[in-house]
Amino acid sequence: KMVIQQLLRPRDWTPPINRNFFMDVKEIEELCNLAEQQFQEEPTVLNLHAPIKIFGDLHGQFGDLMRLFDEYGSPSTAGDIAYIDYLFLGDYVDRGTHSLE
């Protein structure tokens, strides 16, 4: 908890003179454990399993989607969709001329 309190006060922080990282391994582990616990309590967090293909923010651009599928492979009922999950991050709609909207 001390680590979180320190991280939540960025204006009080100054870089160490010896330029060493300000957290030791135990503090980093504590922070990771607390973050994992917090994420597990979030109802919007998906529990996904590898293998997975992750696509970035498309803004509803159909051409970008087709380019990504061409580059990295598209879902196929005869192929990888049975064992590879697809995750699309970010916005799905856009106001552009090539939007799916």
Side-chain angles (χ1 to χ4, degrees):
K1 297 194 187 245
M2 183 183 93
V3 171
I4 292 177
Q5 290 173 354
Q6 185 176 6
L7 291 172
L8 292 176
R9 296 187 335 214
R11 293 184 182 180
D12 297 341
W13 182 80
T14 55
I17 295 171
N18 62 6
R19 299 180 57 89
N20 287 339
F21 194 66
F22 70 98
M23 295 169 58
D24 63 28
V25 172
K26 189 170 183 86
E27 291 171 321
I28 294 170
E29 183 178 13
E30 176 190 352
L31 179 62
C32 290
N33 289 335
L34 289 170
E36 180 182 16
Q37 179 183 357
Q38 187 67 40
F39 284 131
Q40 287 176 347
E41 293 173 7
E42 289 293 322
T44 58
V45 173
L46 300 173
N47 186 12
L48 303 171
H49 303 283
I52 185 169
K53 290 184 181 181
I54 302 173
F55 295 90
D57 200 352
L58 292 174
H59 289 286
Q61 299 295 316
F62 186 72
D64 290 348
L65 177 64
M66 293 298 101
R67 182 180 50 77
L68 288 170
F69 281 166
D70 185 49
E71 180 88 16
Y72 301 105
S74 60
S76 167
T77 55
D80 68 354
I81 201 163
Y83 63 92
I84 293 179
D85 287 330
Y86 286 76
L87 175 64
F88 295 89
L89 305 174
D91 300 334
Y92 300 105
V93 295
D94 194 22
R95 307 275 184 243
T97 57
H98 301 289
S99 175
L100 293 175
E101 186 174 354

